[in-house]
Amino acid sequence: MATVKDLIGVKTDASRYAIKANETVYRAIRLMADAHIGAVLVVEKGTVIGIFTERDYTMRVEVEGLSAKDTLLREVMTDKMYTVTPETSIKQCMELMIHRHVRHL
């Protein structure tokens, strides 16, 4: 059965797609655009405390009329996350995503 590790590979460095909570939304969307990704991990003191996604940008920044250059990630990130391990099966991931109505793990 295929696992997360099989899907993303062993050489994926998640820290490349992490940004500090006190950075601006603009820095996060610039990172996402440069890396061609739809979400970044939000960290504080080396610990993941949330995720910021394209949907967060749309719903919490643009729709609310906030400035991407003045708004901090900690103000608009999603702090309730569902996580998996590299050994989690793709089937389990899909079930979790469907059951919890989430797009990112």
Side-chain angles (χ1 to χ4, degrees), residues 70-104:
D70 296 325
T71 303
L72 299 180
L73 285 174
R74 74 172 70 257
E75 299 170 19
V76 292
M77 69 180 189
T78 296
D79 59 1
K80 185 175 184 177
M81 299 176 301
Y82 298 96
T83 60
V84 296
T85 68
E87 291 74 32
T88 305
S89 74
I90 301 303
K91 182 178 187 270
Q92 289 172 308
C93 290
M94 293 303 297
E95 289 170 352
L96 179 61
M97 292 171 80
I98 291 167
H99 179 71
R100 297 293 182 186
H101 305 286
V102 295
R103 299 170 73 174
H104 302 278

PDB file of all heavy atoms in Angstrom, residues 70-104:
ATOM      1  N   ASP A  70       1.098  44.357   5.161  1.00  0.00           N
ATOM      2  CA  ASP A  70       1.000  44.817   6.542  1.00  0.00           C
ATOM      3  C   ASP A  70       0.428  43.775   7.499  1.00  0.00           C
ATOM      4  O   ASP A  70       0.484  43.961   8.714  1.00  0.00           O
ATOM      5  CB  ASP A  70       0.117  46.070   6.623  1.00  0.00           C
ATOM      6  CG  ASP A  70       0.715  47.243   5.864  1.00  0.00           C
ATOM      7  OD1 ASP A  70       1.955  47.375   5.853  1.00  0.00           O
ATOM      8  OD2 ASP A  70      -0.052  48.014   5.266  1.00  0.00           O
ATOM      9  N   THR A  71      -0.123  42.702   6.986  1.00  0.00           N
ATOM     10  CA  THR A  71      -0.774  41.690   7.817  1.00  0.00           C
ATOM     11  C   THR A  71       0.205  40.570   8.129  1.00  0.00           C
ATOM     12  O   THR A  71       0.869  40.044   7.233  1.00  0.00           O
ATOM     13  CB  THR A  71      -2.013  41.118   7.098  1.00  0.00           C
ATOM     14  OG1 THR A  71      -2.901  42.197   6.778  1.00  0.00           O
ATOM     15  CG2 THR A  71      -2.742  40.108   7.969  1.00  0.00           C
ATOM     16  N   LEU A  72       0.294  40.201   9.403  1.00  0.00           N
ATOM     17  CA  LEU A  72       1.177  39.117   9.822  1.00  0.00           C
ATOM     18  C   LEU A  72       0.486  37.768   9.649  1.00  0.00           C
ATOM     19  O   LEU A  72      -0.735  37.653   9.803  1.00  0.00           O
ATOM     20  CB  LEU A  72       1.584  39.288  11.281  1.00  0.00           C
ATOM     21  CG  LEU A  72       2.346  40.568  11.620  1.00  0.00           C
ATOM     22  CD1 LEU A  72       2.686  40.593  13.113  1.00  0.00           C
ATOM     23  CD2 LEU A  72       3.597  40.709  10.771  1.00  0.00           C
ATOM     24  N   LEU A  73       1.280  36.762   9.348  1.00  0.00           N
ATOM     25  CA  LEU A  73       0.727  35.419   9.165  1.00  0.00           C
ATOM     26  C   LEU A  73      -0.029  34.930  10.388  1.00  0.00           C
ATOM     27  O   LEU A  73      -1.080  34.305  10.255  1.00  0.00           O
ATOM     28  CB  LEU A  73       1.842  34.421   8.813  1.00  0.00           C
ATOM     29  CG  LEU A  73       2.349  34.514   7.402  1.00  0.00           C
ATOM     30  CD1 LEU A  73       3.535  33.590   7.213  1.00  0.00           C
ATOM     31  CD2 LEU A  73       1.259  34.183   6.412  1.00  0.00           C
ATOM     32  N   ARG A  74       0.476  35.209  11.579  1.00  0.00           N
ATOM     33  CA  ARG A  74      -0.178  34.740  12.796  1.00  0.00           C
ATOM     34  C   ARG A  74      -1.625  35.235  12.893  1.00  0.00           C
ATOM     35  O   ARG A  74      -2.446  34.618  13.551  1.00  0.00           O
ATOM     36  CB  ARG A  74       0.616  35.141  14.042  1.00  0.00           C
ATOM     37  CG  ARG A  74       0.524  36.591  14.403  1.00  0.00           C
ATOM     38  CD  ARG A  74       1.159  36.939  15.752  1.00  0.00           C
ATOM     39  NE  ARG A  74       2.603  36.845  15.751  1.00  0.00           N
ATOM     40  CZ  ARG A  74       3.314  35.843  16.272  1.00  0.00           C
ATOM     41  NH1 ARG A  74       2.724  34.847  16.831  1.00  0.00           N
ATOM     42  NH2 ARG A  74       4.617  35.838  16.235  1.00  0.00           N
ATOM     43  N   GLU A  75      -1.952  36.334  12.210  1.00  0.00           N
ATOM     44  CA  GLU A  75      -3.297  36.905  12.266  1.00  0.00           C
ATOM     45  C   GLU A  75      -4.279  36.184  11.352  1.00  0.00           C
ATOM     46  O   GLU A  75      -5.486  36.270  11.572  1.00  0.00           O
ATOM     47  CB  GLU A  75      -3.241  38.381  11.883  1.00  0.00           C
ATOM     48  CG  GLU A  75      -2.385  39.232  12.803  1.00  0.00           C
ATOM     49  CD  GLU A  75      -2.158  40.640  12.256  1.00  0.00           C
ATOM     50  OE1 GLU A  75      -2.908  41.084  11.378  1.00  0.00           O
ATOM     51  OE2 GLU A  75      -1.201  41.285  12.713  1.00  0.00           O
ATOM     52  N   VAL A  76      -3.779  35.501  10.336  1.00  0.00           N
ATOM     53  CA  VAL A  76      -4.682  34.941   9.324  1.00  0.00           C
ATOM     54  C   VAL A  76      -4.422  33.470   8.993  1.00  0.00           C
ATOM     55  O   VAL A  76      -5.105  32.897   8.153  1.00  0.00           O
ATOM     56  CB  VAL A  76      -4.630  35.769   8.018  1.00  0.00           C
ATOM     57  CG1 VAL A  76      -5.229  37.150   8.239  1.00  0.00           C
ATOM     58  CG2 VAL A  76      -3.213  35.874   7.482  1.00  0.00           C
ATOM     59  N   MET A  77      -3.476  32.841   9.663  1.00  0.00           N
ATOM     60  CA  MET A  77      -3.161  31.440   9.386  1.00  0.00           C
ATOM     61  C   MET A  77      -4.261  30.531   9.935  1.00  0.00           C
ATOM     62  O   MET A  77      -5.075  30.943  10.763  1.00  0.00           O
ATOM     63  CB  MET A  77      -1.829  31.060  10.025  1.00  0.00           C
ATOM     64  CG  MET A  77      -1.902  31.020  11.537  1.00  0.00           C
ATOM     65  SD  MET A  77      -0.338  30.588  12.271  1.00  0.00           S
ATOM     66  CE  MET A  77      -0.860  30.370  13.973  1.00  0.00           C
ATOM     67  N   THR A  78      -4.249  29.301   9.483  1.00  0.00           N
ATOM     68  CA  THR A  78      -5.116  28.268  10.046  1.00  0.00           C
ATOM     69  C   THR A  78      -4.304  27.566  11.121  1.00  0.00           C
ATOM     70  O   THR A  78      -3.227  27.032  10.836  1.00  0.00           O
ATOM     71  CB  THR A  78      -5.549  27.266   8.957  1.00  0.00           C
ATOM     72  OG1 THR A  78      -6.331  27.958   7.984  1.00  0.00           O
ATOM     73  CG2 THR A  78      -6.341  26.117   9.542  1.00  0.00           C
ATOM     74  N   ASP A  79      -4.808  27.586  12.353  1.00  0.00           N
ATOM     75  CA  ASP A  79      -4.037  26.974  13.429  1.00  0.00           C
ATOM     76  C   ASP A  79      -4.517  25.577  13.797  1.00  0.00           C
ATOM     77  O   ASP A  79      -3.851  24.864  14.541  1.00  0.00           O
ATOM     78  CB  ASP A  79      -3.983  27.862  14.666  1.00  0.00           C
ATOM     79  CG  ASP A  79      -5.347  28.179  15.237  1.00  0.00           C
ATOM     80  OD1 ASP A  79      -6.358  27.701  14.710  1.00  0.00           O
ATOM     81  OD2 ASP A  79      -5.399  28.924  16.238  1.00  0.00           O
ATOM     82  N   LYS A  80      -5.644  25.163  13.258  1.00  0.00           N
ATOM     83  CA  LYS A  80      -6.131  23.805  13.502  1.00  0.00           C
ATOM     84  C   LYS A  80      -5.722  22.953  12.305  1.00  0.00           C
ATOM     85  O   LYS A  80      -6.237  23.132  11.205  1.00  0.00           O
ATOM     86  CB  LYS A  80      -7.646  23.796  13.682  1.00  0.00           C
ATOM     87  CG  LYS A  80      -8.183  22.448  14.052  1.00  0.00           C
ATOM     88  CD  LYS A  80      -9.662  22.500  14.330  1.00  0.00           C
ATOM     89  CE  LYS A  80     -10.144  21.142  14.788  1.00  0.00           C
ATOM     90  NZ  LYS A  80     -11.564  21.181  15.130  1.00  0.00           N
ATOM     91  N   MET A  81      -4.771  22.049  12.553  1.00  0.00           N
ATOM     92  CA  MET A  81      -4.238  21.249  11.463  1.00  0.00           C
ATOM     93  C   MET A  81      -4.406  19.762  11.757  1.00  0.00           C
ATOM     94  O   MET A  81      -4.473  19.356  12.914  1.00  0.00           O
ATOM     95  CB  MET A  81      -2.745  21.531  11.278  1.00  0.00           C
ATOM     96  CG  MET A  81      -2.425  22.950  10.931  1.00  0.00           C
ATOM     97  SD  MET A  81      -0.642  23.198  10.838  1.00  0.00           S
ATOM     98  CE  MET A  81      -0.111  22.739  12.479  1.00  0.00           C
ATOM     99  N   TYR A  82      -4.426  18.993  10.690  1.00  0.00           N
ATOM    100  CA  TYR A  82      -4.423  17.541  10.783  1.00  0.00           C
ATOM    101  C   TYR A  82      -3.111  17.075  10.178  1.00  0.00           C
ATOM    102  O   TYR A  82      -2.754  17.490   9.073  1.00  0.00           O
ATOM    103  CB  TYR A  82      -5.621  16.942  10.038  1.00  0.00           C
ATOM    104  CG  TYR A  82      -6.927  17.391  10.630  1.00  0.00           C
ATOM    105  CD1 TYR A  82      -7.616  18.475  10.101  1.00  0.00           C
ATOM    106  CD2 TYR A  82      -7.448  16.770  11.764  1.00  0.00           C
ATOM    107  CE1 TYR A  82      -8.802  18.910  10.675  1.00  0.00           C
ATOM    108  CE2 TYR A  82      -8.626  17.202  12.336  1.00  0.00           C
ATOM    109  CZ  TYR A  82      -9.305  18.271  11.787  1.00  0.00           C
ATOM    110  OH  TYR A  82     -10.465  18.703  12.357  1.00  0.00           O
ATOM    111  N   THR A  83      -2.387  16.249  10.910  1.00  0.00           N
ATOM    112  CA  THR A  83      -1.076  15.821  10.450  1.00  0.00           C
ATOM    113  C   THR A  83      -1.034  14.312  10.264  1.00  0.00           C
ATOM    114  O   THR A  83      -1.834  13.566  10.851  1.00  0.00           O
ATOM    115  CB  THR A  83       0.022  16.235  11.449  1.00  0.00           C
ATOM    116  OG1 THR A  83      -0.246  15.637  12.717  1.00  0.00           O
ATOM    117  CG2 THR A  83       0.079  17.745  11.601  1.00  0.00           C
ATOM    118  N   VAL A  84      -0.076  13.886   9.449  1.00  0.00           N
ATOM    119  CA  VAL A  84       0.162  12.469   9.198  1.00  0.00           C
ATOM    120  C   VAL A  84       1.667  12.232   9.257  1.00  0.00           C
ATOM    121  O   VAL A  84       2.446  13.176   9.302  1.00  0.00           O
ATOM    122  CB  VAL A  84      -0.408  12.033   7.830  1.00  0.00           C
ATOM    123  CG1 VAL A  84      -1.924  12.175   7.795  1.00  0.00           C
ATOM    124  CG2 VAL A  84       0.222  12.831   6.697  1.00  0.00           C
ATOM    125  N   THR A  85       2.057  10.980   9.239  1.00  0.00           N
ATOM    126  CA  THR A  85       3.472  10.621   9.242  1.00  0.00           C
ATOM    127  C   THR A  85       3.845  10.101   7.853  1.00  0.00           C
ATOM    128  O   THR A  85       2.954   9.790   7.049  1.00  0.00           O
ATOM    129  CB  THR A  85       3.766   9.515  10.271  1.00  0.00           C
ATOM    130  OG1 THR A  85       3.144   8.301   9.839  1.00  0.00           O
ATOM    131  CG2 THR A  85       3.262   9.905  11.657  1.00  0.00           C
ATOM    132  N   PRO A  86       5.129   9.975   7.585  1.00  0.00           N
ATOM    133  CA  PRO A  86       5.535   9.408   6.295  1.00  0.00           C
ATOM    134  C   PRO A  86       5.000   7.989   6.077  1.00  0.00           C
ATOM    135  O   PRO A  86       4.826   7.551   4.939  1.00  0.00           O
ATOM    136  CB  PRO A  86       7.067   9.410   6.367  1.00  0.00           C
ATOM    137  CG  PRO A  86       7.390  10.519   7.317  1.00  0.00           C
ATOM    138  CD  PRO A  86       6.283  10.484   8.348  1.00  0.00           C
ATOM    139  N   GLU A  87       4.715   7.291   7.162  1.00  0.00           N
ATOM    140  CA  GLU A  87       4.228   5.917   7.056  1.00  0.00           C
ATOM    141  C   GLU A  87       2.715   5.821   6.858  1.00  0.00           C
ATOM    142  O   GLU A  87       2.182   4.742   6.619  1.00  0.00           O
ATOM    143  CB  GLU A  87       4.632   5.112   8.299  1.00  0.00           C
ATOM    144  CG  GLU A  87       6.123   4.845   8.389  1.00  0.00           C
ATOM    145  CD  GLU A  87       6.936   6.077   8.777  1.00  0.00           C
ATOM    146  OE1 GLU A  87       6.430   6.924   9.535  1.00  0.00           O
ATOM    147  OE2 GLU A  87       8.069   6.209   8.289  1.00  0.00           O
ATOM    148  N   THR A  88       2.002   6.931   6.964  1.00  0.00           N
ATOM    149  CA  THR A  88       0.550   6.926   6.765  1.00  0.00           C
ATOM    150  C   THR A  88       0.238   6.559   5.325  1.00  0.00           C
ATOM    151  O   THR A  88       0.870   7.055   4.397  1.00  0.00           O
ATOM    152  CB  THR A  88      -0.044   8.316   7.086  1.00  0.00           C
ATOM    153  OG1 THR A  88       0.329   8.694   8.409  1.00  0.00           O
ATOM    154  CG2 THR A  88      -1.562   8.302   6.970  1.00  0.00           C
ATOM    155  N   SER A  89      -0.742   5.695   5.142  1.00  0.00           N
ATOM    156  CA  SER A  89      -1.098   5.286   3.781  1.00  0.00           C
ATOM    157  C   SER A  89      -1.857   6.412   3.072  1.00  0.00           C
ATOM    158  O   SER A  89      -2.519   7.234   3.713  1.00  0.00           O
ATOM    159  CB  SER A  89      -1.962   4.019   3.801  1.00  0.00           C
ATOM    160  OG  SER A  89      -3.277   4.323   4.222  1.00  0.00           O
ATOM    161  N   ILE A  90      -1.750   6.412   1.759  1.00  0.00           N
ATOM    162  CA  ILE A  90      -2.469   7.402   0.955  1.00  0.00           C
ATOM    163  C   ILE A  90      -3.971   7.234   1.166  1.00  0.00           C
ATOM    164  O   ILE A  90      -4.706   8.225   1.257  1.00  0.00           O
ATOM    165  CB  ILE A  90      -2.105   7.264  -0.543  1.00  0.00           C
ATOM    166  CG1 ILE A  90      -0.598   7.443  -0.748  1.00  0.00           C
ATOM    167  CG2 ILE A  90      -2.905   8.234  -1.388  1.00  0.00           C
ATOM    168  CD1 ILE A  90      -0.042   8.748  -0.243  1.00  0.00           C
ATOM    169  N   LYS A  91      -4.423   6.006   1.296  1.00  0.00           N
ATOM    170  CA  LYS A  91      -5.848   5.742   1.554  1.00  0.00           C
ATOM    171  C   LYS A  91      -6.284   6.400   2.862  1.00  0.00           C
ATOM    172  O   LYS A  91      -7.331   7.052   2.919  1.00  0.00           O
ATOM    173  CB  LYS A  91      -6.109   4.236   1.600  1.00  0.00           C
ATOM    174  CG  LYS A  91      -7.552   3.861   1.816  1.00  0.00           C
ATOM    175  CD  LYS A  91      -7.722   2.345   1.797  1.00  0.00           C
ATOM    176  CE  LYS A  91      -9.163   1.954   1.838  1.00  0.00           C
ATOM    177  NZ  LYS A  91      -9.712   1.770   3.167  1.00  0.00           N
ATOM    178  N   GLN A  92      -5.467   6.260   3.918  1.00  0.00           N
ATOM    179  CA  GLN A  92      -5.797   6.890   5.204  1.00  0.00           C
ATOM    180  C   GLN A  92      -5.822   8.413   5.064  1.00  0.00           C
ATOM    181  O   GLN A  92      -6.674   9.081   5.660  1.00  0.00           O
ATOM    182  CB  GLN A  92      -4.791   6.478   6.269  1.00  0.00           C
ATOM    183  CG  GLN A  92      -4.906   5.032   6.701  1.00  0.00           C
ATOM    184  CD  GLN A  92      -3.759   4.634   7.606  1.00  0.00           C
ATOM    185  OE1 GLN A  92      -2.592   4.830   7.270  1.00  0.00           O
ATOM    186  NE2 GLN A  92      -4.087   4.083   8.769  1.00  0.00           N
ATOM    187  N   CYS A  93      -4.899   8.952   4.300  1.00  0.00           N
ATOM    188  CA  CYS A  93      -4.869  10.403   4.071  1.00  0.00           C
ATOM    189  C   CYS A  93      -6.153  10.867   3.391  1.00  0.00           C
ATOM    190  O   CYS A  93      -6.758  11.861   3.812  1.00  0.00           O
ATOM    191  CB  CYS A  93      -3.668  10.787   3.205  1.00  0.00           C
ATOM    192  SG  CYS A  93      -2.078  10.613   4.023  1.00  0.00           S
ATOM    193  N   MET A  94      -6.541  10.168   2.352  1.00  0.00           N
ATOM    194  CA  MET A  94      -7.759  10.546   1.627  1.00  0.00           C
ATOM    195  C   MET A  94      -8.982  10.464   2.533  1.00  0.00           C
ATOM    196  O   MET A  94      -9.842  11.343   2.503  1.00  0.00           O
ATOM    197  CB  MET A  94      -7.938   9.667   0.392  1.00  0.00           C
ATOM    198  CG  MET A  94      -6.884   9.888  -0.678  1.00  0.00           C
ATOM    199  SD  MET A  94      -6.806  11.606  -1.245  1.00  0.00           S
ATOM    200  CE  MET A  94      -8.425  11.803  -1.938  1.00  0.00           C
ATOM    201  N   GLU A  95      -9.050   9.417   3.335  1.00  0.00           N
ATOM    202  CA  GLU A  95     -10.184   9.283   4.261  1.00  0.00           C
ATOM    203  C   GLU A  95     -10.213  10.441   5.256  1.00  0.00           C
ATOM    204  O   GLU A  95     -11.278  11.003   5.537  1.00  0.00           O
ATOM    205  CB  GLU A  95     -10.109   7.940   4.985  1.00  0.00           C
ATOM    206  CG  GLU A  95     -10.416   6.760   4.085  1.00  0.00           C
ATOM    207  CD  GLU A  95     -10.123   5.412   4.723  1.00  0.00           C
ATOM    208  OE1 GLU A  95      -9.526   5.367   5.832  1.00  0.00           O
ATOM    209  OE2 GLU A  95     -10.471   4.391   4.099  1.00  0.00           O
ATOM    210  N   LEU A  96      -9.062  10.810   5.781  1.00  0.00           N
ATOM    211  CA  LEU A  96      -8.973  11.926   6.724  1.00  0.00           C
ATOM    212  C   LEU A  96      -9.385  13.235   6.056  1.00  0.00           C
ATOM    213  O   LEU A  96     -10.158  14.019   6.623  1.00  0.00           O
ATOM    214  CB  LEU A  96      -7.547  12.034   7.277  1.00  0.00           C
ATOM    215  CG  LEU A  96      -7.265  13.170   8.256  1.00  0.00           C
ATOM    216  CD1 LEU A  96      -8.138  13.050   9.503  1.00  0.00           C
ATOM    217  CD2 LEU A  96      -5.795  13.173   8.643  1.00  0.00           C
ATOM    218  N   MET A  97      -8.901  13.462   4.852  1.00  0.00           N
ATOM    219  CA  MET A  97      -9.226  14.702   4.139  1.00  0.00           C
ATOM    220  C   MET A  97     -10.721  14.791   3.840  1.00  0.00           C
ATOM    221  O   MET A  97     -11.331  15.855   4.002  1.00  0.00           O
ATOM    222  CB  MET A  97      -8.401  14.790   2.856  1.00  0.00           C
ATOM    223  CG  MET A  97      -6.915  14.975   3.132  1.00  0.00           C
ATOM    224  SD  MET A  97      -5.894  14.812   1.666  1.00  0.00           S
ATOM    225  CE  MET A  97      -6.142  16.439   0.951  1.00  0.00           C
ATOM    226  N   ILE A  98     -11.306  13.685   3.435  1.00  0.00           N
ATOM    227  CA  ILE A  98     -12.745  13.670   3.141  1.00  0.00           C
ATOM    228  C   ILE A  98     -13.553  13.854   4.427  1.00  0.00           C
ATOM    229  O   ILE A  98     -14.477  14.667   4.484  1.00  0.00           O
ATOM    230  CB  ILE A  98     -13.135  12.374   2.404  1.00  0.00           C
ATOM    231  CG1 ILE A  98     -12.545  12.388   0.993  1.00  0.00           C
ATOM    232  CG2 ILE A  98     -14.650  12.189   2.369  1.00  0.00           C
ATOM    233  CD1 ILE A  98     -12.589  11.048   0.280  1.00  0.00           C
ATOM    234  N   HIS A  99     -13.201  13.113   5.448  1.00  0.00           N
ATOM    235  CA  HIS A  99     -13.941  13.156   6.714  1.00  0.00           C
ATOM    236  C   HIS A  99     -13.851  14.525   7.392  1.00  0.00           C
ATOM    237  O   HIS A  99     -14.830  15.030   7.942  1.00  0.00           O
ATOM    238  CB  HIS A  99     -13.427  12.062   7.654  1.00  0.00           C
ATOM    239  CG  HIS A  99     -14.101  12.029   8.981  1.00  0.00           C
ATOM    240  ND1 HIS A  99     -15.409  11.611   9.134  1.00  0.00           N
ATOM    241  CD2 HIS A  99     -13.664  12.379  10.217  1.00  0.00           C
ATOM    242  CE1 HIS A  99     -15.743  11.711  10.413  1.00  0.00           C
ATOM    243  NE2 HIS A  99     -14.698  12.179  11.084  1.00  0.00           N
ATOM    244  N   ARG A 100     -12.675  15.145   7.355  1.00  0.00           N
ATOM    245  CA  ARG A 100     -12.454  16.426   8.026  1.00  0.00           C
ATOM    246  C   ARG A 100     -12.653  17.640   7.118  1.00  0.00           C
ATOM    247  O   ARG A 100     -12.532  18.770   7.569  1.00  0.00           O
ATOM    248  CB  ARG A 100     -11.043  16.471   8.630  1.00  0.00           C
ATOM    249  CG  ARG A 100     -10.815  15.437   9.698  1.00  0.00           C
ATOM    250  CD  ARG A 100     -11.662  15.754  10.890  1.00  0.00           C
ATOM    251  NE  ARG A 100     -11.409  14.777  11.938  1.00  0.00           N
ATOM    252  CZ  ARG A 100     -12.085  14.732  13.064  1.00  0.00           C
ATOM    253  NH1 ARG A 100     -13.018  15.622  13.301  1.00  0.00           N
ATOM    254  NH2 ARG A 100     -11.819  13.819  13.956  1.00  0.00           N
ATOM    255  N   HIS A 101     -12.914  17.383   5.840  1.00  0.00           N
ATOM    256  CA  HIS A 101     -13.135  18.458   4.857  1.00  0.00           C
ATOM    257  C   HIS A 101     -11.937  19.407   4.793  1.00  0.00           C
ATOM    258  O   HIS A 101     -12.079  20.630   4.874  1.00  0.00           O
ATOM    259  CB  HIS A 101     -14.410  19.246   5.163  1.00  0.00           C
ATOM    260  CG  HIS A 101     -15.626  18.389   5.255  1.00  0.00           C
ATOM    261  ND1 HIS A 101     -16.232  17.838   4.145  1.00  0.00           N
ATOM    262  CD2 HIS A 101     -16.334  17.941   6.325  1.00  0.00           C
ATOM    263  CE1 HIS A 101     -17.266  17.119   4.544  1.00  0.00           C
ATOM    264  NE2 HIS A 101     -17.347  17.163   5.846  1.00  0.00           N
ATOM    265  N   VAL A 102     -10.740  18.817   4.653  1.00  0.00           N
ATOM    266  CA  VAL A 102      -9.526  19.610   4.541  1.00  0.00           C
ATOM    267  C   VAL A 102      -8.834  19.296   3.221  1.00  0.00           C
ATOM    268  O   VAL A 102      -9.022  18.235   2.630  1.00  0.00           O
ATOM    269  CB  VAL A 102      -8.539  19.375   5.713  1.00  0.00           C
ATOM    270  CG1 VAL A 102      -9.152  19.847   7.018  1.00  0.00           C
ATOM    271  CG2 VAL A 102      -8.119  17.919   5.813  1.00  0.00           C
ATOM    272  N   ARG A 103      -8.031  20.246   2.771  1.00  0.00           N
ATOM    273  CA  ARG A 103      -7.334  20.098   1.499  1.00  0.00           C
ATOM    274  C   ARG A 103      -5.849  19.866   1.660  1.00  0.00           C
ATOM    275  O   ARG A 103      -5.149  19.547   0.713  1.00  0.00           O
ATOM    276  CB  ARG A 103      -7.582  21.339   0.653  1.00  0.00           C
ATOM    277  CG  ARG A 103      -9.066  21.516   0.363  1.00  0.00           C
ATOM    278  CD  ARG A 103      -9.338  22.844  -0.260  1.00  0.00           C
ATOM    279  NE  ARG A 103      -8.880  22.847  -1.633  1.00  0.00           N
ATOM    280  CZ  ARG A 103      -9.077  23.837  -2.469  1.00  0.00           C
ATOM    281  NH1 ARG A 103      -9.712  24.914  -2.063  1.00  0.00           N
ATOM    282  NH2 ARG A 103      -8.632  23.785  -3.694  1.00  0.00           N
ATOM    283  N   HIS A 104      -5.337  20.090   2.873  1.00  0.00           N
ATOM    284  CA  HIS A 104      -3.897  19.946   3.128  1.00  0.00           C
ATOM    285  C   HIS A 104      -3.685  19.165   4.418  1.00  0.00           C
ATOM    286  O   HIS A 104      -4.379  19.380   5.402  1.00  0.00           O
ATOM    287  CB  HIS A 104      -3.238  21.326   3.275  1.00  0.00           C
ATOM    288  CG  HIS A 104      -3.428  22.198   2.088  1.00  0.00           C
ATOM    289  ND1 HIS A 104      -2.648  22.110   0.963  1.00  0.00           N
ATOM    290  CD2 HIS A 104      -4.316  23.191   1.834  1.00  0.00           C
ATOM    291  CE1 HIS A 104      -3.053  22.995   0.082  1.00  0.00           C
ATOM    292  NE2 HIS A 104      -4.063  23.663   0.595  1.00  0.00           N
TER     293      HIS A 104
END
